[in-house]
């Protein structure tokens, strides 16, 4: 068995920490060669002390100076780099064969694309990369010749339920009719609509089933996360948008399903624990112990499924609208959402203003063909600026 050499983009986040947890249990299979973070320098220093990567990356020079000192004090021989270009170096210069792409948001796009172009096995948690640049990203994977394994639990479930030789071109003979993405419905699935106006960041981040980073927790509450996942599924699996459905499933045990022409529906079940899809991606096509408790079907009270209420979750409708518009519309959607969610978390933007900001920005920036990274980054920057202005107006009125 050859040892996989792993670079983790976003090692201090929720996915990054879970990835290290799986790796820790399998030192014979995995060697960590690069770790990256933005601000959590102390956490990164501890990770370097335990896993001894060749390269560690932080956001800026001050963070790099601090990390260098922490590592020197502990006699850890890791090269410290900083800034966005260093994230690319972590992938291209670290001698890795596997990249966990787990930076949150648009910041993860460029290093994930670099991993795709370099022919690495890409474990994709950073859904925003596919939302912003699905076509470019899938082309980069093809040209690079590496393997793309989805880590988002829903896409990982679908990947497990598809035939191993599945591809868009083969689909007619393989008979895939629909993909059903499940969604818990988040913490406000049953909250009276009139109470949504006063939702706080703490309430929005308290997901009933999953422990995740703050941004994705808010996205789960608004169901923007599911909208981003619909776009992600469209690019990953190549089915038309009409064939990608969303189902509310509050127990979060069926992680997604594939419906076939002959009447079969295949589902993947498991505990809501990201270490399962992470372990699956790391060891694919083998399966390894993920440290996850077994699922006891006899102890389940029930499994229930329902259509999402669009009045409660306007972000889901906005994401479908952007997906159908295509081009750079999903980039605008993603950028406006990132700004609105950050303003909700940090500046007091009311919860119900998140979809309002996203819709205003979507309506103000025309979609163009997303044919190059330059175009995508330009649209992303314009959408962010526009969203900041809309947020400022909303905060003044509030
Ligand atoms: N958490 C889940 O269960 C889950 C499930 C499915 C998919 N995902 C996806 O996985 C990705 C990561 O989610 P998460 O929940 O792990 O997020 P998170 O806990 O917020 O962690 C984000 C990671 O990215 C780093 N980071 C943030 N901004 C950065 C920047 N500008 N440049 C470089 N690094 C930056 C953070 O560094 P610092 O910690 O140093 O700030 C941290 O290591 C997201 O795209 C999310 O949608 C997550």
């Amino acid at each position: 068995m050859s040892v996989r050499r792993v670079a983790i983009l976003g090692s201090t986040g929720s996915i990054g920490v879970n990835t290290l947890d799986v790796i820790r249990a399998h030192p014979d299979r995995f060697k960590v060669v690069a770790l990256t973070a933005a601000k959590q320098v102390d956490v990164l220093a501890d990770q370097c002390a335990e896993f001894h990567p060749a390269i560690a990356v932080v956001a800026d020079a001050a963070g790099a100076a601090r990390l260098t000192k922490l590592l020197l004090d502990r006699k850890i021989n890791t090269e410290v780099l900083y800034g966005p270009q260093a994230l690319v170096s972590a992938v291209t210069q670290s001698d890795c064969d596997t990249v966990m792409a787990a930076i949150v948001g648009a910041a993860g796009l460029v290093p994930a694309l670099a991993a795709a172009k370099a022919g690495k096995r890409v474990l994709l948690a950073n859904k925003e990369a596919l939302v912003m640049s699905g076509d470019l990203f899938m082309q980069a994977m093809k040209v690079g010749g590496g393997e793309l394994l989805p880590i988002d639990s829903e896409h990982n479930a679908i990947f497990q339920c598809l035939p191993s030789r599945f591809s868009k071109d083969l689909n007619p003979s393989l008979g895939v009719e629909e993909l059903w993405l499940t969604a818990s419905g988040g913490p406000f699935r049953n909250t009276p609509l009139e109470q949504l106006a006063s939702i706080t960041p703490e309430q929005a981040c308290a997901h009933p089933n999953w422990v995740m980073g703050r941004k994705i927790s808010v996205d789960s509450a608004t169901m923007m996360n599911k909208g981003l996942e619909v776009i992600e599924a469209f690019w990953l699996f190549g089915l038309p948008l009409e064939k990608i459905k969303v189902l509310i499933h509050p127990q979060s045990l069926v992680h997604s399903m594939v419906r076939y022409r002959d009447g079969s529906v295949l589902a993947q079940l498991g505990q809501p624990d990201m270490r399962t899809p992470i372990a699956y991606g790391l060891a694919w096509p083998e399966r390894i112990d993920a440290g996850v408790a077994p699922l006891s079907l006899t102890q389940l009270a029930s499994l229930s499924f329902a259509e999402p209420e669009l009045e409660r979750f306007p972000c889901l409708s906005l994401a479908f609208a952007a997906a159908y518009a295509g081009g750079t519309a999903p980039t605008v959607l993603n950028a406006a959402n990132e700004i609105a969610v950050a303003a909700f978390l940090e500046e007091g933007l009311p919860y119900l203003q998140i979809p309002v900001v996203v819709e205003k920005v979507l309506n103000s920036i025309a979609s163009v063909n997303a044919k190059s990274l330059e175009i995508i980054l330009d649209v992303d920057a314009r959408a962010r600026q526009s969203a900041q202005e809309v947020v400022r107006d909303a905060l003044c009125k509030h």
Side-chain angles (χ1 to χ4, degrees):
M1 179 179 55
S2 63
V3 173
R4 289 214 150 260
R5 302 174 63 77
V6 184
I8 305 177
L9 300 168
S11 64
T12 50
S14 165
I15 294 287
V17 166
N18 276 310
T19 305
L20 287 171
D21 197 56
V22 174
I23 289 176
R24 181 181 291 115
H26 300 278
D28 51 329
R29 282 182 171 265
F30 306 111
K31 163 88 186 101
V32 173
V33 295
L35 294 174
T36 85
K39 299 191 182 119
Q40 295 198 72
V41 174
D42 291 4
V43 177
L44 184 59
D46 288 346
Q47 293 179 343
C48 290
E50 181 178 356
F51 292 96
H52 298 272
I55 296 178
V57 178
V58 288
D60 52 32
R66 185 165 152 62
L67 181 61
T68 304
K69 175 159 184 347
L70 287 171
L71 296 183
L72 268 178
D73 290 351
R74 293 158 88 165
K75 300 190 172 40
I76 310 293
N77 189 16
T78 293
E79 184 184 2
V80 175
L81 305 172
Y82 66 91
Q85 189 50 40
L87 296 172
V88 173
S89 303
V91 168
T92 55
Q93 290 173 20
S94 66
D95 187 24
C96 63
D97 50 38
T98 302
V99 175
M100 168 57 80
I103 289 175
V104 63
L109 168 62
V110 172
L113 256 181
K117 284 183 194 153
K120 310 290 181 185
R121 170 178 290 190
V122 181
L123 310 183
L124 191 69
N126 175 243
K127 64 195 82 186
E128 295 90 345
L130 271 185
V131 169
M132 292 174 71
S133 73
D135 202 10
L136 278 186
F137 191 89
M138 295 310 282
Q139 278 177 36
M141 282 305 310
K142 211 170 184 174
V143 172
E147 294 150 342
L148 177 58
L149 295 166
I151 296 302
D152 231 342
S153 59
E154 296 76 1
H155 306 75
N156 190 272
I158 289 171
F159 186 82
Q160 295 192 44
C161 294
L162 287 171
S164 55
R165 60 202 174 95
F166 176 80
S167 79
K168 189 165 68 171
D169 306 330
L170 277 179
N171 185 31
S173 62
L174 297 175
V176 174
E177 284 293 322
E178 281 182 341
L179 307 180
W180 294 347
L181 295 177
T182 54
S184 70
F188 312 130
R189 183 172 52 89
N190 294 319
T191 305
L193 290 179
E194 61 280 6
Q195 288 178 20
L196 292 181
S198 55
I199 292 298
T200 64
E202 284 60 41
Q203 290 170 310
C205 288
H207 194 281
N209 306 338
W210 295 96
V211 180
M212 307 184 284
R214 281 164 73 78
K215 190 259 181 186
I216 185 176
S217 296
V218 178
D219 286 349
S220 295
T222 63
M223 279 193 79
M224 177 60 89
N225 183 49
K226 210 50 54 181
L228 300 178
E229 288 178 6
V230 167
I231 302 171
E232 184 184 9
F234 171 77
W235 288 112
L236 279 172
F237 305 116
L239 259 70
L241 283 166
E242 308 76 66
K243 290 178 178 262
I244 304 174
K245 300 276 155 62
V246 172
L247 274 181
I248 300 278
H249 165 50
Q251 296 81 15
S252 295
L253 295 172
V254 175
H255 296 305
S256 277
M257 294 174 262
V258 178
R259 183 172 77 76
Y260 286 88
R261 181 176 304 154
D262 62 3
S264 300
V265 174
L266 298 197
Q268 185 258 352
L269 283 76
Q271 300 285 2
D273 188 322
M274 287 307 293
R275 289 176 300 174
T276 295
I278 290 168
Y280 182 85
L282 280 168
W284 182 85
E286 293 173 36
R287 293 199 186 244
I288 56 173
D289 189 350
V292 174
L295 185 63
S296 168
L297 287 176
T298 51
Q299 284 175 11
L300 298 180
S302 69
L303 294 178
S304 55
F305 301 92
E307 299 271 348
E309 269 177 74
L310 293 181
E311 190 194 353
R312 180 179 296 277
F313 300 114
C315 283
L316 185 58
S317 306
L318 290 169
F320 266 105
Y324 276 106
T328 51
T331 300
V332 173
L333 174 93
N334 180 64
N337 181 59
E338 280 189 26
I339 297 295
V341 170
F344 165 67
L345 287 173
E346 287 150 29
E347 296 171 54
L349 183 78
Y351 177 77
L352 288 179
Q353 285 292 312
I354 295 173
V356 174
V357 171
V358 174
E359 186 168 16
K360 281 190 178 159
V361 179
L362 263 178
N363 289 339
S364 71
I365 298 180
S367 173
V368 296
N369 190 339
K371 64 181 179 219
S372 72
L373 184 59
E374 291 66 37
I375 291 176
I376 291 165
L377 294 179
D378 173 63
V379 169
D380 177 71
R382 285 194 286 126
R384 276 164 204 276
Q385 196 180 348
S386 167
Q388 296 283 15
E389 286 160 19
V390 178
V391 164
R392 263 199 301 278
D393 279 358
L395 287 173
C396 285
K397 286 185 194 138
H398 183 55

